[in-house]
Amino acid sequence: MESRGSTPARPVPYEGVWRFTAPASDVSVPRARHAVRDLLKRQNVPIEDDITQGLLLIVSELVTNAVKHAALLSPELAVEVAVGEDWVRVSVEDNHPYRPTALETDYAQTGGRGLLLVREITREAGGTCDVEHTAGGGKVIWAALPLRTAL
């Protein structure tokens, strides 16, 4: 709560929310990763390099999952980047109703560990991630990371 006579807090210049859509196709994976990287640079977000690399890997994994598993029912996906004073959140939304869960690691499989990787990167950075249903019956998978690692 703000007291009378005090000046309101100034918004941080790099804060904001950006959203873009892309076709649910393989070409969207590197495009989404590059778009997020370029956005962080353009907004001068003071994010550590290790956090940036983890975030970009998360973007790649989430968009890849949407392309591989949701494209039939969701020919378009949405990527949203939200930046706060000391955190960044990336989410990928599609219209497929299936809500994935991170499976136990099966080292005999060559795939199927994308969400495990997302959860591990998020956990190591001190962030959080989740899968939620959307009002339209689809899902959004998101990960929020701190801009800097804790000391």
Side-chain angles (χ1 to χ4, degrees):
M1 191 178 282
E2 189 176 324
S3 64
R4 290 181 189 241
S6 66
T7 56
R10 298 173 117 189
V12 178
Y14 55 82
E15 285 184 303
V17 178
W18 297 267
R19 184 177 175 92
F20 59 92
T21 58
S25 65
D26 290 338
V27 297
S28 294
V29 177
R31 287 180 181 168
R33 186 176 57 248
H34 294 302
V36 171
R37 182 198 62 212
D38 293 347
L39 171 69
L40 296 173
K41 285 183 181 181
R42 188 173 58 251
Q43 293 303 122
N44 295 312
V45 177
I47 186 170
E48 289 182 1
D49 287 340
D50 288 349
I51 302 291
T52 300
Q53 294 309 313
L55 184 72
L56 295 178
L57 184 53
I58 288 169
V59 168
S60 293
E61 289 295 330
L62 295 182
V63 173
T64 296
N65 280 353
V67 168
K68 281 186 168 183
H69 304 294
L72 186 60
L73 294 178
S74 183
E76 188 173 78
L77 57 92
V79 177
E80 184 174 280
V81 180
V83 181
E85 184 174 354
D86 56 2
W87 54 270
V88 59
R89 179 183 189 263
V90 65
S91 62
V92 175
E93 180 180 338
D94 63 58
N95 292 320
H96 196 291
Y98 173 70
R99 181 180 166 144
T101 57
L103 304 174
E104 292 298 317
T105 303
D106 179 354
Y107 293 103
Q109 289 185 336
T110 57
R113 294 188 283 271
L115 284 181
L116 287 172
L117 181 60
V118 167
R119 288 191 174 166
E120 185 62 22
I121 291 168
T122 302
R123 186 192 62 76
E124 284 183 10
T128 59
C129 61
D130 203 359
V131 180
E132 299 171 354
H133 288 287
T134 63
K139 67 185 163 301
V140 60
I141 305 174
W142 59 268
L145 305 177
L147 295 179
R148 292 166 285 286
T149 53
L151 297 176

